[in-house]
Amino acid sequence: TLGDAAADVITFTGTVATDINFAKEVDHTLTVITTTTAATAGGAVIVKAGTGATSGAGGAVSITGGTAGATAASVGGAVNVVS
């Protein structure tokens, strides 16, 4: 299994040609590891859509909370922006 231990380091360089799908029924977190270098800012996470060519519009960025189940007594998942 690729990256099956917390200490594993996986370096990926290239292009993902399709969607990235995560396993169901568990939470997933994308995290930049805490820096261990004194007086150094933590790494950023940047999500960027594609740039349009010539008169083409740039790609949109969408963040959508999960839809509630058909018989759930609640609304879908929240989207939180925290700075």
Side-chain angles (χ1 to χ4, degrees), residues 4-55:
D4 61 351
D8 288 353
V9 174
I10 300 167
T11 300
F12 175 82
T13 304
T15 301
V16 177
T18 187
D19 297 338
I20 299 173
N21 296 294
F22 296 97
K24 62 183 181 176
E25 293 146 2
V26 293
D27 294 340
H28 302 282
T29 303
L30 302 175
T31 304
V32 176
I33 301 301
T34 301
T35 185
T36 56
T37 305
T40 300
V45 173
I46 299 168
V47 177
K48 253 175 124 172
T51 300
T54 62
S55 62

